[in-house]
Structures are given as C-alpha cells and as structure tokens.
Amino acid sequence: GENVEQHPSTLSVQEGDSAVIKCTYSDSASNYFPWYKQELGKRPQLIIDIRSNVGEKKDQRIAVTLNKTAKHFSLHITETQPEDSAVYFCAALYNFNKFYFGSGTKLNVKP
Amino acid sequence: DTGVSQDPRHKITKRGQNVTFRCDPISEHNRLYWYRQTLGQGPEFLTYFQNEAQLEKSRLLSDRFSAERPKGSFSTLEIQRTEQGDSAMYLCASSSSGNEQFFGPGTRLTVL
C-alpha cells in the first residue's frame, strides 16, 4: 500500500509571510496528489491538486510542486492571511481507488 | 443543496449497539468513499464504491463494519456491536472520473 508522511505538524507564521508544507509518499504508482484545507468542525475542502505528469501548479497565492523522482510534493502559500489558519492535509491516490492522507499540518497565521 | 450530504450529523450510542449512517453523494458522481477521522489525524480510507460495486476495502474495516451502495446512488455504513474505539468522525466523499473528491459534513459518532 501507500504511506504518506507530512511535515511539519504545526506551523506558525506572521501574516504576509510564506508557508510551506511538505509530504512524501512511498509508492511510485501514485499519480494524483490533492491538498485539502479543513477548518475546525468543518469538512475537508480541496484547495489545489496536481497530477503526476506535471511538476508545478499555481492558483493565485497557492502553489503545489511535485518531485516524482524523490516522491515528495509540497504546498506553498504566499502572502498568508489570518483566514488561511486551518489544518491542511496532503493525500496521494494509490491504485486509482484509494486515497491515503497525511496526518495534517495546523497552520496558524498571526495578524 | 447539491453537495454531499450525510445523516445523521451526530450519533451517541452505547457500547454494543449497532449504528447505521447514510451518505448521499453528488448526483452525477459514480465514485463514493468512506473515511474515518479521529482528532488530530487525517482521514483514514475505509472503503470505495464505483457505482454499486465495492471495489476496495481497508483492513481497518473489520467484520463489524459493512457498507452498501445498492443502487449506485446513496450509501450506508453500518457498525455492529460498537466499541469505544469506534468513536470518530465518519466522512463520506464522492467524485466523478476526474478524481477530485467532494466531502460531506461527516457523522460524529460517540460510543459511551
């Protein structure tokens, strides 16, 4: 099966700074990597995703990079705002059917 | 509301009782997933349906757990003889062939 590791578990940044969250996966057959934002008591919401045939994807202040050789992918948030504070989860799609999630990063953006 | 819905939102039960949760996916989505999420952890995959066929089942899903999607639309997750360790948030998600999952609000189970 797949194993997804996520770091750091907590991240505190000053408003306006950048935040980077990193994930590694174990199975080279995984080919789709979404990132979710989960606010307290709410459902996970997809914020960006990347497929294995792409190295980088950007959507306004959010970007994701993928290194297939090293089997790691990262979430980059620039110009952070207090409303970015939440728990962020990475995931990897294994065998087209199963999603494996990281353990989450609690991001705190200090105003 | 055209999103994924789950019912009930909260369930409190006594150890040993059976519980059943329902998930209604987005109508055109043929893929449906169940996850369990405990505090401070990411969602753990439980099972996956494509239409009415259950194609994947995690080893986490012991013989006390069963899921169905009889007509390829809504799905139910049943836990028999609940244990305190079953207390968690049970999340349902659906997707079409594009992989992007949409999550429901979850059912929070508390086993006393």
Side-chain angles (χ1 to χ4, degrees):
Chain A
E2 176 62 279
N3 181 45
V4 177
E5 294 192 356
Q6 183 171 346
H7 300 280
S9 56
T10 59
L11 180 59
S12 189
V13 299
Q14 205 66 40
E15 181 178 0
D17 287 351
S18 295
V20 180
I21 303 170
K22 299 182 179 182
C23 287
T24 60
Y25 61 99
S26 59
D27 197 303
S28 55
S30 293
N31 61 0
Y32 172 68
F33 307 92
W35 285 90
Y36 292 87
K37 176 182 180 182
Q38 188 174 29
E39 297 177 19
L40 192 62
K42 297 192 175 180
R43 71 189 79 186
Q45 299 264 16
L46 179 74
I47 56 171
I48 196 166
D49 56 12
I50 192 166
R51 299 185 189 278
S52 58
N53 58 348
V54 175
E56 184 174 359
K57 184 176 177 181
K58 193 172 181 181
D59 182 4
Q60 300 183 341
R61 298 186 297 108
I62 295 174
V64 56
T65 57
L66 171 65
N67 183 328
K68 283 194 299 181
T69 304
K71 288 189 265 186
H72 66 70
F73 56 112
S74 300
L75 177 71
H76 305 254
I77 306 174
T78 58
E79 299 170 25
T80 53
Q81 301 166 4
E83 50 266 39
D84 294 330
S85 295
V87 180
Y88 291 80
F89 293 100
C90 63
L93 177 61
Y94 170 73
N95 201 28
F96 300 100
N97 293 337
K98 298 172 75 167
F99 282 90
Y100 287 87
F101 282 76
S103 55
T105 297
K106 185 175 182 180
L107 175 64
N108 179 36
V109 180
K110 295 178 285 186
Chain B
D1 186 355
T2 57
V4 179
S5 61
Q6 292 186 245
D7 183 70
R9 297 290 307 277
H10 302 273
K11 178 70 178 178
I12 299 174
T13 191
K14 290 183 180 178
R15 190 176 52 188
Q17 298 294 305
N18 300 342
V19 294
T20 300
F21 309 142
R22 177 179 170 125
C23 170
D24 286 90
I26 293 171
S27 58
E28 62 268 25
H29 284 181
N30 61 341
R31 300 178 180 185
L32 188 147
Y33 304 81
W34 283 100
Y35 295 90
R36 180 173 68 188
Q37 186 176 28
T38 53
L39 198 63
Q41 297 297 316
E44 291 179 284
F45 172 85
L46 293 179
T47 192
Y48 159 66
F49 289 87
Q50 185 162 317
N51 299 310
E52 66 276 9
Q54 188 174 18
L55 298 184
E56 284 283 351
K57 194 173 169 181
S58 167
R59 284 170 296 180
L60 292 172
L61 219 64
S62 74
D63 56 3
R64 296 186 299 106
F65 287 70
S66 62
E68 294 183 341
R69 194 183 184 198
K71 297 181 181 179
S73 56
F74 74 91
S75 175
T76 57
L77 177 69
E78 182 183 15
I79 309 174
Q80 296 182 324
R81 305 182 302 279
T82 52
E83 301 172 357
Q84 288 185 324
D86 297 332
S87 295
M89 176 74 84
Y90 289 84
L91 291 165
C92 174
S94 70
S95 73
S96 60
S97 58
N99 296 139
E100 181 181 346
Q101 291 185 100
F102 294 85
F103 280 87
T107 294
R108 182 167 295 284
L109 173 66
T110 301
V111 182
L112 302 175

